[in-house]
Amino acid sequence: MENSIRERRRALGISQEELARRCGVSRQTVNAIENNKYDPTLSLAFRLAQALACTVDRLFTPAP
């Protein structure tokens, strides 16, 4: 699964630490998701979308 979390987070001026705090996960988890090393649970995907003020389908797209 591809994602645009890093781009969206940077556009909003939010650090990985802050995004992690808002979503209730570690900064390492956010880093792993941004680097496509970890696919978040559906619940976490929705929390990320809410924290980044967008929709889940805007953040995540299926890998080719």
Side-chain angles (χ1 to χ4, degrees), residues 30-53:
V30 170
N31 183 270
I33 294 168
E34 286 185 352
N35 288 302
N36 296 311
K37 294 183 178 180
Y38 174 73
D39 286 334
T41 63
L42 187 56
S43 174
L44 178 52
F46 276 99
R47 290 196 312 267
L48 287 163
Q50 182 177 15
L52 295 171

Side-chain angles (χ1 to χ4, degrees), residues 16-64:
Q16 283 186 343
E17 189 69 38
E18 176 61 18
L19 180 57
R21 186 191 64 73
R22 291 181 187 186
C23 294
V25 297
S26 70
R27 184 200 58 77
Q28 291 84 354
T29 298
V30 170
N31 183 270
I33 294 168
E34 286 185 352
N35 288 302
N36 296 311
K37 294 183 178 180
Y38 174 73
D39 286 334
T41 63
L42 187 56
S43 174
L44 178 52
F46 276 99
R47 290 196 312 267
L48 287 163
Q50 182 177 15
L52 295 171
C54 65
T55 60
V56 171
D57 64 326
R58 181 169 176 191
L59 287 182
F60 298 95
T61 55

